[in-house]
Amino acid sequence: DGFIRDGLKEITDTGSPEAVESLSYHLANNKKVLDETIIGISVVDLNGKIVASTDKDEIGKSEKEDKYFIKGKEGVFVIDFVGHEHFGHKSYFIVSAPVLDKNTKELLGVIVNIFDTTKIESILSGQFQIEEENISKEEGYTKIIDSYLVNNKKEIIVYSATEEKNGLHIIVDTLPVRKCREDGEEIVDQYINYNGVEVI
């Protein structure tokens, strides 16, 4: 987005409050509205300081120690967060990416998109499919499906919406997690799940 690149460059070069306000307005009114799962967008300068955001309370915060800022300078980076509050949420996904000068391709900073996990939970639980009328609630699929996402530490980070485990740190060291994570293989099998129950 050329407007974001130009706005960040102006803020970096001049510190203009008008440029901060203009870029923040652009993020809130032209970018955030494009995806209902985005709960916030911030632009961070090379010092790790948030210089523009969809939430004015975020502006001025330092992100220089955060992995998503450090890695976001190098390329697109995705990480899950639990506990560290941003935009009034404590559980979310962050996608960060470098912002480069349009002409010189010089690194100007990092753009950070924060996504709500509710839509993912809805999809995992089957609720989204029911709402879209792809499956019928009467078929009972949602009663037998337990779905979740596991990160590289083998921790569950998103549960199906029917689960009441959010906020707990559950380690899943099961056959499918090991096969996917360590061998990069898909698997369909019978195994004992993290609750000690035999499942397919």
Side-chain angles (χ1 to χ4, degrees), residues 82-109:
V82 177
H84 185 66
E85 187 168 327
H86 270 296
F87 300 95
H89 290 69
K90 289 190 176 181
S91 179
Y92 45 83
F93 281 99
I94 289 181
V95 180
S96 58
V99 179
L100 307 178
D101 184 280
K102 286 191 302 189
N103 302 314
T104 66
K105 305 304 179 195
E106 172 192 4
L107 180 65
L108 299 173

Side-chain angles (χ1 to χ4, degrees), residues 34-98:
L34 297 176
D35 187 337
E36 65 182 18
T37 63
I38 295 177
I39 57 177
I41 306 172
S42 293
V43 175
V44 186
D45 69 13
L46 289 177
N47 296 315
K49 178 182 167 187
I50 296 177
V51 295
S53 177
T54 54
D55 182 348
K56 290 180 180 176
D57 292 338
E58 294 287 312
I59 298 172
K61 290 183 179 178
S62 176
E63 309 295 289
K64 68 179 180 181
E65 302 296 328
D66 288 325
K67 192 171 185 180
Y68 63 82
F69 167 68
I70 296 165
K71 293 288 189 180
K73 291 189 288 185
E74 301 168 6
V76 176
F77 180 73
V78 181
I79 190 170
D80 60 282
F81 260 73
V82 177
H84 185 66
E85 187 168 327
H86 270 296
F87 300 95
H89 290 69
K90 289 190 176 181
S91 179
Y92 45 83
F93 281 99
I94 289 181
V95 180
S96 58

Side-chain angles (χ1 to χ4, degrees), residues 5 12 19 26 33 43 60 70 75 77 92 103 150 162:
R5 296 169 195 250
T12 301
H26 177 69
V33 296
V43 175
I70 296 165
F77 180 73
Y92 45 83
N103 302 314
V150 179
T162 58

